[in-house]
Amino acid sequence: MSINQNSLSSAVHPRKILIANWKLHGSGSHVERWVQAVQTLEEIRSGQMQVILCPPAIWLERARGYVQGERLALGVQNVSAQSEGSFTGEISAAMAFEAGARYALVGHSERRRLFGETDQMVAAKVEQSAQAGLIPIVCIGETAEEKRAGQTEPVLARQLECLGALHGEPVSTLWIAYEPIWSIGTGIPAEAGNILAVAAFIRAHVASSDATMRNQFRLFYGGSVGAGNAAALGTLEGVDGFLVGGASVEADSMVALCRALV
Ligand code: 13P
């Protein structure tokens, strides 16, 4: 398994990271316009922040052709739980790596809810990603119903069991994104206190299996983050950046978001 050093704590690396998850949006020409607009931003060129673009996988290679430098990296939105075989329509982690991805979203709530991904499949995808040299960005989060029932922590703890797929490798080889399902796409992010409490829980939970790991992985929040709330959310202790859906798709909106965050 490859160990990536791009994973120090926010205390060590104050730079904020924005992960743009386009979901099922975009086109080849849109990729070109977007990459050109974002990578020329002073906020990125100066190293104040980093952006990871996760377009539909079919545009990865094209995006790689436009990217210059290291401040704009590429991620894939999903990988297969298998490495190869008769699995029509699947894309393996190694294929995504070859196409230019260095990160992989794993276990996004839309994959879990709409495509039936189980915790076991998420664990297999974490393992596949790490073996291929991708940093898995594991997405976890509770439904509104689970939140109302006070089940947030047990649900997150269960979803974090996929870390076992790393077989004792340092947790710094993956990133974790907390995306409460009740916030995604609503325009209403979780409240700061809520995010802080959950971030502390996740760090403590990960540290309970390895005490040195509490601050040794990157932690993200996702759910209705946009230019209007990024500045306030960007100050939250222990949150290294944001996983953004809707506000990341249009270049103008992404540029405004980058400017608001720095
Ligand atoms: P929105 O930013 O549109 O709420 O989506 C969040 C998300 O699901 C990113 O992965």
Side-chain angles (χ1 to χ4, degrees), residues 19-23 105 108-110 139 177 179-180 183-188 221-226 242-248:
I19 307 165
N21 176 13
W22 281 8
K23 307 187 181 183
L105 300 181
H108 191 283
S109 59
E110 288 152 16
C139 305
E179 294 207 303
S183 168
I184 293 175
T186 63
I188 305 170
Y221 166 76
S224 296
V225 176
F242 302 98
L243 177 50
V244 187
S248 76

